[in-house]
Amino acid sequence: MSIKVEQLTKVYGTQKALNNVSFEVNNPEIVGFLGPNGAGKSTMMKILTTYLEATSGNAQVNGHDVKSSTKEVQQSVGYLPEHNPLYLDMFIKEYLKFNASVYNIDKSRINEVIELTGLTPEVHKKIGQLSKGYRQRVGLANALLHNPEVLILDEPTTGLDPNQLVDIRTLIKNVGKEKTVFLSTHIMQEVEAMCDRVIIINKGEIVADKKLSELREGKVQTVIVEFDYRVEDAFLKKLPKVKHVENTYGFVYEIAFDTQEDMRSHVFDFAHDNNLKILQLNQKNASLEALFRELTAN
Ligand code: ADP
Ligand code: MG
């Protein structure tokens, strides 16, 4: 297990940024941490990289506890922060050398990471002269310097133009063949393009954890049901294998189930047992896009 998060909560003052979050990431695997702005992605990543302490709960990276073994965690993880603080006046090599010396890393590794991240053609430039795409490569090179087992990348593709996007995606996918990559994004297409698995977070809570292969097979199922009367969402959540309930309009509800089994008969029985009449009952398969929209709609 490369990353293990157990019932983690983070409160800033009165704001709950993470609420009882649990998940695991294996090695090697590229996992997308997908959620709208403000969902809690950066907060989670700062806790996993020991920049922030959780209010409660546990997290381990590479088997090391983030609270009690910060040094081991830092050695295991390469981190590309959301707003990567680069020294614009430094040359690429100068910057990497500086960080290598801070962390006691062999200088030979600098050329390796430059090669690995495709920085060679721009290596004579100062960071301030680089495009956003190349600056991200510098950030990635820096994250890879100490050859960590786990890479934590906070919105690595945000703000890139389409060509840069393709290049960085390819780079991350290559790195992900040997390492665990946990990357955040608010853009669903990034997950499709790079990830083996997606963990969707909304308002500090995990609302889905799915393999992309499963999603493509349409294992997540949505049943659209119309009753003759209003039903509380919480009541519908008592149905087996429910992932999410949304009252789309009137007395129409979209219920997402975490199974391939046709759940319409369960909904029918549920209505019968609770003296509800069904006016409409349909099933649809949700793609990742639909899933993301459904789970983060409000
Ligand atoms: P994301 O990266 O998914 O956009 P963040 O983890 O940055 O989300 O933020 C989650 C929530 O916590 C947001 O509502 C944000 O406003 C709040 N938040 C983040 N950092 C702080 C902070 N230092 N102090 C107070 N609230 C914060
Ligand atoms: Mg963020």
Side-chain angles (χ1 to χ4, degrees):
M1 205 67 60
S2 289
I3 299 175
K4 186 172 181 156
V5 175
E6 290 171 299
Q7 300 180 322
L8 203 125
T9 293
K10 175 69 189 179
V11 183
Y12 296 108
T14 55
Q15 162 102 40
K16 202 177 252 190
L18 293 171
N19 187 11
N20 202 26
V21 169
S22 301
F23 64 88
E24 290 177 358
V25 180
N26 304 308
N27 184 27
E29 192 179 28
I30 304 183
V31 174
F33 196 38
L34 176 66
N37 288 328
K41 304 181 294 297
S42 296
T43 300
M44 185 74 245
M45 293 183 147
K46 284 175 195 163
I47 292 169
L48 290 174
T49 51
T50 75
Y51 282 83
L52 264 184
E53 268 202 24
T55 307
S56 64
N58 297 305
Q60 288 177 5
V61 178
N62 224 12
H64 306 295
D65 185 272
V66 294
K67 268 188 199 156
S68 58
S69 311
T70 47
K71 218 173 180 176
E72 288 84 354
V73 170
Q74 286 162 10
Q75 274 161 3
S76 306
V77 64
Y79 176 39
L80 177 64
E82 188 172 21
H83 305 291
N84 193 23
L86 292 168
Y87 297 89
L88 301 183
D89 234 15
M90 276 190 176
F91 289 99
I92 295 174
K93 263 196 183 168
E94 192 185 356
Y95 174 70
L96 294 173
K97 258 186 205 154
F98 171 71
N99 283 324
S101 66
V102 170
Y103 296 102
N104 257 332
I105 294 156
D106 199 291
K107 296 272 187 299
S108 65
R109 180 69 183 156
I110 293 167
N111 287 331
E112 267 176 47
V113 295
I114 286 174
E115 188 72 23
L116 199 65
T117 53
L119 279 167
T120 312
E122 303 283 283
V123 77
H124 57 281
K125 289 189 182 168
K126 281 189 174 178
I127 293 171
Q129 298 172 306
L130 299 174
S131 67
K132 171 95 180 121
Y134 273 91
R135 285 184 198 186
Q136 282 300 70
R137 287 174 198 249
V138 175
L140 269 173
N142 186 48
L144 286 163
L145 261 181
H146 58 303
N147 203 9
E149 308 262 332
V150 180
L151 271 184
I152 293 186
L153 313 176
D154 199 353
E155 308 243 2
T157 58
T158 296
L160 300 185
D161 73 32
N163 288 326
Q164 297 168 344
L165 204 63
V166 171
D167 292 343
I168 293 287
R169 282 173 178 174
T170 310
L171 184 58
I172 291 172
K173 273 183 107 160
N174 280 332
V175 172
K177 285 177 191 158
E178 287 163 18
K179 297 189 187 296
T180 301
V181 180
F182 185 57
L183 68 91
S184 73
T185 177
H186 61 277
I187 305 157
M188 198 256 324
Q189 287 81 359
E190 293 307 295
V191 174
E192 283 269 32
M194 285 183 283
C195 302
D196 306 311
R197 185 150 68 91
V198 61
I199 296 174
I200 304 181
I201 183 169
N202 190 39
K203 294 181 180 161
E205 295 187 11
I206 305 294
V207 291
D209 183 341
K210 288 274 147 216
K211 287 202 165 110
L212 268 281
S213 54
E214 264 177 82
L215 286 172
R216 290 189 192 105
E217 286 162 16
K219 278 190 182 170
V220 175
Q221 171 194 173
T222 304
V223 169
I224 302 162
V225 58
E226 185 176 4
F227 297 108
D228 64 342
Y229 199 72
R230 172 153 183 80
V231 185
E232 289 302 319
D233 290 9
F235 195 53
L236 287 169
K237 281 186 180 152
K238 288 179 184 157
L239 277 156
K241 294 170 186 160
V242 168
K243 275 301 243 188
H244 180 74
V245 174
E246 192 187 345
N247 182 199
T248 46
Y249 63 94
F251 304 144
V252 179
Y253 298 82
E254 290 206 1
I255 311 169
F257 292 99
D258 195 12
T259 174
Q260 239 177 351
E261 181 195 347
D262 190 337
M263 294 305 285
R264 285 175 298 181
S265 61
H266 287 273
V267 176
F268 190 86
D269 291 342
F270 177 87
H272 180 263
D273 293 344
N274 293 290
N275 288 322
L276 292 160
K277 279 205 184 79
I278 288 183
L279 304 179
Q280 189 206 141
L281 183 61
N282 292 304
Q283 194 187 24
K284 76 170 183 188
N285 277 332
S287 69
L288 175 60
E289 181 165 9
L291 183 72
F292 183 48
R293 292 229 176 99
E294 274 170 34
L295 298 180
T296 60
N298 44 53

